[in-house]
Amino acid sequence: MKHSSKITIAVNPNDQYLRYNLSADGTYTFSGFEGRFLQVATSALGIPYNLVFPEDGLLGEEISPGNWTGMMGLIQEERLIWHSPTCP
């Protein structure tokens, strides 16, 4: 299944759960528990994607009612549709 548009995925790299490498040709390879899941999911779906990284490195913190930082803030701003939270 191929799609013409890209999805945006937020990741928060972590040595234990999610690591990534960007090759010279612009493709990502992932490792770690969440990284392997992300690799399988993106490969199986065949959907082009962009990775974004939360500026604060957090899943999200509510800074005022209804306003979030981190990955939750990116979802709130409609900048992504999928996130891969790092396990605690």
Side-chain angles (χ1 to χ4, degrees):
M1 174 189 297
K2 296 292 179 187
H3 299 273
S4 60
S5 60
K6 288 187 175 185
I7 63 170
T8 302
I9 302 171
V11 296
N12 195 9
N14 173 294
D15 286 341
Q16 187 174 2
Y17 300 104
L18 192 147
R19 295 176 299 281
Y20 73 95
N21 288 311
L22 179 60
S23 68
D25 67 358
T27 59
Y28 288 96
T29 55
F30 301 97
S31 58
F33 174 76
E34 287 182 28
R36 288 190 303 270
F37 172 79
L38 189 57
Q39 186 78 50
V40 168
T42 56
S43 295
L45 294 173
I47 300 172
Y49 60 91
N50 291 316
L51 294 184
V52 295
F53 306 89
E55 291 179 18
D56 60 4
L58 298 174
L59 176 60
E61 181 177 318
E62 191 172 29
I63 53 176
S64 64
N67 293 307
W68 292 80
T69 65
M71 292 184 191
M72 298 306 290
L74 294 172
I75 292 170
Q76 182 181 35
E77 295 167 9
E78 299 181 4
R79 291 180 49 199
L80 66 103
I81 63 168
W82 182 15
H83 71 87
S84 178
T86 301
C87 298

